[in-house]
Amino acid sequence: MGFFEKLSEGLKKTRDSLVYGLRGEKPDEEFYEELEERLILADAGAETALALVGELRNEVERNLVTDSEGALELFKKICADKLRAEDELDFSGSPTVLMLIGVNGAGKTTTTGKLANLYTKLGKKLVIAAADTFRAAAAEQLRVWAERAGVDMIEGANDPAAVVFDAVSSAKRRGADIVIADTAGRLHNKKNLMDELARMTRIVKKASETAEVRTLLVLDAVTGRNAVNQAREFAKGAGVDGIVLTKLDGSAKGGAVLSIKEELGIPVRFIGVGEGIDDLDLFDAGQFSEAMFG
């Protein structure tokens, strides 16, 4: 099964909750109210649902659409346009450090391994930093992923900033393109942990003046609106260059993706649809919208 097929299967619950029973109806007031309500139930959020349905009303009128099939096709395009990032993730650093952050259980360690596998296949040379020095067996788990992806891993004592420093220094010596740092789970309101994150970011420049940090927030799709709230708070405390949305397989809360982009302006960069090493890929807005409404 290809990635799109897995994505489509993973979003089946979301798709069913959004479009089941709406096809065959006229795009009248009842249709719009029902779609709006379903978007809210799929965790798109009231503000986002109102804005999207309002835009759909205008497009239906402008294009003289008289059936729900045509209206939903328009809606699919509207959502794809909204989800599309204004720019690509910047890899201009030498090396570029992808700092993975998020709460416990979001899937940072497995995402680190899958990202390493993805970029290795794209011809990039990588180093992984085992910067989660708090969770028992985190480095051991990450080592398994590093071996599966065929990349080198740097680990150390109890200082995550030191691990990041060593990883960036190693990447510079080896001419690696990317360092992926798996950091400990943290809450945005824990000042000491957020300070630690800032310290890791600062120390990257000490290891290599040409290095650049890109912060990726890993979110669990199953948590729905809570994922949106996490993104909002982390963006305030750390600055976020993009979202990695994990565990999209089987969630009925796919509407949260719309909310993250519409309310916060943070693009989703990667999505995960399963536990396999190839079950994470670059986010494609058109593909996602097709899987969610198609």
Side-chain angles (χ1 to χ4, degrees):
M1 186 183 293
F3 190 83
F4 177 75
E5 287 74 19
K6 288 184 179 180
L7 174 62
S8 186
E9 182 63 27
L11 285 173
K12 186 178 186 302
K13 289 182 181 178
T14 297
R15 186 168 60 251
D16 288 348
S17 69
L18 284 171
V19 302
Y20 181 76
L22 283 180
R23 298 187 185 281
E25 301 294 326
K26 290 182 179 179
D28 54 15
E29 191 60 32
E30 186 177 343
F31 171 87
Y32 292 126
E33 288 179 1
E34 181 67 22
L35 178 58
E36 190 178 294
E37 184 178 330
R38 291 183 182 200
L39 283 166
I40 293 171
L41 289 174
D43 279 351
E47 183 182 332
T48 297
L50 281 167
L52 290 174
V53 173
E55 191 164 336
L56 177 61
R57 289 174 187 263
N58 293 335
E59 286 298 301
V60 165
E61 185 175 338
R62 190 170 70 86
N63 289 277
L64 304 176
V65 173
T66 58
D67 61 282
S68 64
E69 294 287 341
L72 288 171
E73 281 299 312
L74 280 175
F75 194 64
K76 188 162 52 178
K77 183 179 184 303
I78 288 168
C79 290
D81 290 343
K82 293 289 185 183
L83 288 170
R84 201 164 281 117
E86 286 76 19
D87 56 4
E88 294 185 358
L89 192 60
D90 184 358
F91 282 91
S92 59
S94 181
T96 297
V97 181
L98 300 181
M99 194 79 69
L100 269 55
I101 66 172
V103 302
N104 285 318
K108 293 183 298 301
T109 300
T110 55
T111 295
T112 300
K114 292 173 185 178
L115 275 176
N117 176 67
L118 174 65
Y119 278 108
T120 297
K121 287 187 172 182
L122 291 174
K124 302 295 185 181
K125 189 173 181 180
L126 290 96
V127 173
I128 287 178
D132 181 354
T133 60
F134 294 99
R135 184 168 63 87
E140 184 179 338
Q141 181 188 358
L142 188 59
R143 194 179 303 112
V144 172
W145 282 102
E147 289 172 359
R148 291 175 68 187
V151 300
D152 294 322
M153 186 184 96
I154 303 297
E155 57 184 309
N158 293 323
D159 184 355
V163 174
V164 171
F165 180 89
D166 289 345
V168 175
S169 299
S170 176
K172 184 178 180 181
R173 288 194 305 271
R174 303 178 193 193
D177 306 293
I178 301 170
V179 174
I180 306 177
D182 176 31
T183 72
R186 68 197 71 229
L187 296 173
H188 64 275
N189 58 359
K190 297 295 183 182
K191 186 177 184 304
N192 60 323
L193 292 176
M194 295 307 287
D195 287 346
E196 177 191 84
L197 190 62
R199 180 168 169 252
M200 281 189 279
T201 300
R202 287 195 305 271
I203 210 163
V204 166
K205 283 290 187 182
K206 293 183 179 179
S208 171
E209 291 183 357
T210 57
E212 296 289 345
V213 176
R214 306 289 174 245
T215 303
L216 296 175
L217 176 61
V218 181
L219 297 174
D220 181 343
V222 178
T223 62
R225 283 301 295 176
N226 191 41
V228 182
N229 296 331
Q230 286 177 32
R232 179 179 288 108
E233 297 303 326
F234 269 102
K236 290 178 187 175
V240 176
D241 296 297
I243 301 292
V244 182
L245 201 62
T246 67
K247 307 175 190 177
L248 264 172
D249 45 319
S251 172
K253 305 295 185 181
V257 180
L258 295 165
S259 236
I260 290 168
K261 183 63 165 58
E262 183 73 2
E263 293 179 30
L264 308 179
I266 304 173
V268 176
R269 302 289 190 184
F270 306 91
I271 52 173
V273 295
E275 297 179 0
I277 196 167
D278 293 315
D279 290 339
L280 181 138
D281 206 346
L282 295 162
F283 179 74
D284 182 309
Q287 190 180 67
F288 186 87
S289 186
E290 177 67 36
M292 190 154 68
F293 298 105

